[in-house]
Amino acid sequence: MLCYILQYQKPDVYVLPSDFYLLCHLNSLSSPRMYNKMWHQTQEALGALLDKEPQKMVEPQRNQGFIFQTLATFYIKYVQIFRNLENVYDQIVHPQKRILIRKVLDGVMGRILELKNEMVELELTEFHYFDDILQDLKLAPQQLDIPIPKYFLKEKLEVIKGREKILAQILADSGIDTSEMKFPVKSMPFDQAVKLIQIAERARQGRLRALFMKQIYLQEYRAKQSKTLGKKVTDSWAAALCIQKVWRRFHQCKKTEKLREEEMIFLGMNPPPLFNEVSATVIQAEKVDRLRNEVQMKHEEDYREALVTIKNDLKLIEGLDIKENLQDQIRHWFIECRNLTGTFPDYPDIEEGGSAIIFSNKTIQQEEDEKWKMSPSLFLPVMKEGCNAYKEIWMNKDESWNFSQDFDPELIKEEKRKELESEIRVQVDELMRQELKNLKLAVDREREHPAKVGKKKKKKGKKGKKKEKKTKKDKDLTADRTIESLYKELVEEGLLIQALKVNLSDYIGEYSYLGTTLRQVSIEPMPSLLDVRQLITLYGIWPLGSAAVHEKAPLVKSLLLAGPSGVGKKMLVHAICTETGANLFNLSSSNIAGKYPGKNGLQMMLHAVFKVARQLQPSVVWIEDTEKTFYKKVPNAEKTNEPKRLKRHLPQILKLLKPDDRILIVGTTRRPFDAELQPFCRVYQKIILVPRPDYASRYVLWKQIIERNGGVLTSALNVSCLAKVTDGFTQGHIVKVVKAVLTDQRIRRQIHKPLTAVEFITAITSMDPVYKEEEESFKNWYAKTPLGKKRALAITGGSTEKAKDKGKRKEKKEKRAKKKK
């Protein structure tokens, strides 16, 4: 096998024995051919989609339903392409392929965000339902779930670990114990503590006494049985018959139970045995993932080193030849121009590209692209460029020699030749300008002087314009301080906090299967938990995780999560930080109360927070109970905390945030109706309603939370009944109930006494659910927001254009009223 591999490799590339076994292990389990094939198929699908999209978008359409169907179809197809590309990027180890896949992957992510933005503007709602399209494409609703690229954390894992160590060290030095913050210990009166100890001791003594009495009873019972059996003469045949009856009944019951269990497993109603246990295949797959990551890192290091060494080798070997060829080409151009026009040409400036502009010939396709301004998309050219590069380089490339999937030196040489040529061209341009000047002096002395005067005048004009464009820079209030000192100060003040390790996949929810049906009857459904999870991925995680996506995609600077308590708003904020490795700043009114007093103090605090957030981006600025910042009337009990300190500053901060700043302001609220609506909606660009879970989500929640806390699901536990009875209760309620029921003692007793639904129902009866009236109040409040008003107007018979015009008119009136004030 080793000889077979080496004979198909280049003479200067060899696989070491240690690497060989690792590569064989990887190739046998991860099957790189399979992922290469998946990449080729995905690229073909993307190419076909890029060809179809301009044709569909150019055709003028007035039917809103048809336009939405077109946008939704493209959206779903791009999501499927993204899922495949993300998987391929994570599995492939070839460094040059990964660079191209990453470029296309970012382009697909950006295009998905653009299509989402267009669907929101068309339907005037953040939530969409694609039941009919999914049916046509033969896809399951779960395939709409948008994964989070693994490279978000992989590429900056060391940076995140280093930052966590520094944060933990600062917290330890300042005496802040994070364990006490997470699990606060409640104080208890002395009398109550003594009573609790007495109860526990009496219970222990009672159990011991009962065990002792049971042993005495059993001894007496056995003595009586031995006396009666000794006197009574039994028939052996009757005894055998009795034993047979008992055994056959027991055996048949067990057999029937086993058959019934097998039938339920076959029908998919029950999970198979050992379903929750980690199999050997999964353990092996995790091992392969670790090995693959090592190979990816090694290949990338080799690739970076090769970029430097190959460029230096090219400079030594081909540098002089490239220089001479460029000089010959430029001299030939001088002579041609002299023969055609009678004079020597003007040499192009450095800003124009130097001599490179002379020899750049545009093709017909490039001229057509310049004229064509159909789509405003910023990501379609990126994807087309990636597809063209794939077709030119990788589509029909023979890689039989590259078993190890290491870098291709020939591709590096082609790339570095261009870089080297551009560097040498700058030097050649300086020499040739001087040579051209000497030629003009020798041949065209009469025309040289006015040309120089004209040039000098133009340059003076340019300098004057540049002076006019100069603007004053913003003052840096902390110019004399380092980022490390500001970071430490914010941690000690409690403004920069440690995010909890929570993944977005832990936010459990199901797809809404009645959304399309309800909208057909003009009823606006509450969003499902899966819809909320998707919006958090699109508006929060993707832009923060990828700088390329954040710069060009529709910019989302602020996000509001509104919903009753216990639905997981705080968990979603921490999940955004965990999935992107972002810093978490807490600017809640309760957290900043008493800190940095006065106007100057508040200005200094905001300056420090956003300076550190920019330097250490991505960053999330969290404002818990954000309705307090926009109170209609501040309650007397909260006046001392000054909850409205940030009200005037937040709009100014949002204006200063640029596309390069990967900073997201996230507000959470459980009482949005207490806030002034207009300033509230001006600050928060996107508003997401987080609902209580529906039946499908509750069913999945009960199952997964019970299993995560050590519970075992059996036929005795009717999960469907639990999900039906607990309508109105939130995820927080379910977690509290499960933790209260599944104590250590109850987990140990599950073998003898399986869990039942009654235990959980009894525990949840003491809690207050989220009633329909409270849910309706959230829906009514959302209907008063700008997007909610437009949606309501569109449903009642007005068109989306009228709704948009009406919204714009109201905004203009509000601005005029403000100016008058």
Side-chain angles (χ1 to χ4, degrees), residues 448-722:
E448 183 186 3
H449 183 66
K452 280 187 179 180
V453 173
K455 282 184 181 178
K456 284 179 182 178
K457 285 179 181 178
K458 285 180 183 177
K459 285 180 181 178
K460 282 181 183 178
K462 285 180 182 177
K463 283 181 182 177
K465 286 180 182 177
K466 283 183 181 178
K467 285 179 182 178
E468 289 174 4
K469 287 182 181 179
K470 284 184 180 178
T471 54
K472 293 182 180 179
K473 292 183 179 179
D474 296 330
K475 289 183 180 179
D476 188 356
L477 301 176
T478 55
D480 57 337
R481 296 188 59 182
T482 61
I483 293 295
E484 289 78 11
S485 65
L486 290 172
Y487 186 89
K488 185 179 179 182
E489 181 183 329
L490 293 174
V491 173
E492 290 173 349
E493 290 291 337
L495 299 178
L496 201 160
I497 62 174
Q498 193 169 12
L500 301 175
K501 296 294 179 184
V502 181
N503 294 318
L504 191 65
S505 57
D506 297 331
Y507 189 77
I508 305 162
E510 266 293 323
Y511 184 79
S512 178
Y513 297 96
L514 295 175
T516 305
T517 308
L518 290 172
R519 278 195 175 172
Q520 287 173 353
V521 196
S522 299
I523 298 173
E524 191 62 24
M526 283 296 285
S528 67
L529 300 185
L530 185 66
D531 296 329
V532 172
R533 196 167 71 194
Q534 285 184 355
L535 290 182
I536 293 296
T537 304
L538 293 173
Y539 294 151
I541 295 173
W542 276 12
L544 288 178
S546 174
V549 173
H550 193 275
E551 287 175 11
K552 296 181 181 179
L555 189 59
V556 177
K557 298 180 181 179
S558 56
L559 194 65
L560 177 66
L561 304 177
S565 58
V567 293
K569 301 183 293 295
K570 183 178 177 181
M571 177 186 175
L572 290 171
V573 175
H574 287 279
I576 293 172
C577 297
T578 304
E579 297 289 1
T580 58
N583 299 288
L584 182 59
F585 298 87
N586 187 354
L587 293 185
S588 307
S589 58
S590 59
N591 192 43
I592 63 173
K595 298 174 184 176
Y596 297 93
K599 290 183 179 179
N600 294 332
L602 181 62
Q603 191 176 358
M604 179 65 72
M605 179 189 74
L606 292 173
H607 172 78
V609 166
F610 282 92
K611 184 177 180 179
V612 174
R614 281 190 181 92
Q615 289 291 326
L616 304 177
Q617 56 183 298
S619 300
V620 173
V621 179
W622 175 36
I623 306 175
E624 190 179 12
D625 295 329
T626 187
E627 77 279 355
K628 294 180 180 180
T629 310
F630 301 91
Y631 262 145
K632 295 174 183 175
K633 186 178 180 183
V634 180
N636 295 327
E638 296 185 27
K639 282 184 178 178
T640 54
N641 294 335
E642 296 182 87
K644 300 174 74 172
R645 288 179 75 190
L646 296 176
K647 183 180 177 181
R648 292 182 181 178
H649 295 274
L650 283 176
Q652 298 171 4
I653 291 167
L654 286 170
K655 287 179 182 178
L656 294 174
L657 291 179
K658 301 174 183 176
D660 297 338
D661 302 327
R662 283 186 289 158
I663 301 171
L664 181 67
I665 298 174
V666 183
T668 56
T669 174
R670 52 187 172 180
R671 294 190 61 82
F673 16 81
D674 291 346
E676 294 180 38
L677 189 62
Q678 290 180 359
F680 201 41
C681 294
R682 278 196 212 102
V683 167
Y684 291 106
Q685 188 179 349
K686 295 288 182 183
I687 299 173
I688 301 174
L689 277 184
V690 186
R692 57 181 187 175
D694 55 5
Y695 170 78
S697 297
R698 288 195 305 274
Y699 183 83
V700 178
L701 274 165
W702 276 111
K703 286 180 69 176
Q704 294 200 21
I705 293 173
I706 288 171
E707 288 176 345
R708 288 181 185 182
N709 286 273
V712 179
L713 299 175
T714 61
S715 56
L717 178 61
N718 192 341
V719 182
S720 178
C721 174
L722 265 179

Side-chain angles (χ1 to χ4, degrees), residues 432-442 448 452:
M432 299 310 292
R433 277 194 190 93
Q434 188 63 37
E435 188 174 327
L436 180 63
K437 187 178 179 182
N438 295 335
L439 286 171
K440 285 184 177 181
L441 285 170
E448 183 186 3
K452 280 187 179 180

Side-chain angles (χ1 to χ4, degrees), residues 138 261 402:
K138 297 180 181 178
E261 184 68 21
N402 194 3

Side-chain angles (χ1 to χ4, degrees), residues 18-31:
S18 59
D19 295 333
F20 168 70
Y21 292 111
L22 176 63
L23 289 165
C24 286
H25 188 59
L26 280 171
N27 282 273
S28 62
L29 291 170
S30 63
S31 184

Side-chain angles (χ1 to χ4, degrees), residues 303-337:
Y303 175 67
R304 290 193 202 100
E305 291 174 4
L307 289 174
V308 178
T309 55
I310 290 174
K311 185 178 179 181
N312 293 334
D313 293 343
L314 283 172
K315 195 171 185 179
L316 289 171
I317 297 166
E318 302 180 9
L320 290 172
D321 295 336
I322 292 171
K323 186 176 180 180
E324 289 176 2
N325 290 334
L326 289 173
Q327 287 177 333
D328 292 341
Q329 287 176 5
I330 294 168
R331 287 191 186 105
H332 185 67
W333 175 63
F334 289 166
I335 296 164
E336 279 187 352
C337 290

Side-chain angles (χ1 to χ4, degrees), residues 65-128:
F66 179 82
I67 296 169
F68 176 75
Q69 291 281 332
T70 306
L71 290 172
T73 304
F74 283 122
Y75 174 82
I76 293 168
K77 288 183 177 179
Y78 274 119
V79 168
Q80 303 312 307
I81 288 169
F82 168 76
R83 290 168 69 95
N84 291 336
L85 278 178
E86 197 278 326
N87 195 10
V88 167
Y89 182 74
D90 184 56
Q91 298 292 334
I92 282 181
V93 297
H94 197 295
Q96 289 156 305
K97 288 180 183 177
R98 282 169 59 81
I99 291 169
L100 180 59
I101 295 168
R102 170 69 180 275
K103 183 180 180 180
V104 177
L105 187 64
D106 288 340
V108 173
M109 288 165 63
R111 188 57 185 155
I112 289 171
L113 292 174
E114 287 177 341
L115 289 170
K116 176 67 180 177
N117 187 51
E118 288 176 8
M119 287 192 292
V120 170
E121 290 181 356
L122 182 69
E123 278 208 316
L124 303 173
T125 178
E126 299 288 352
F127 304 98
H128 314 286

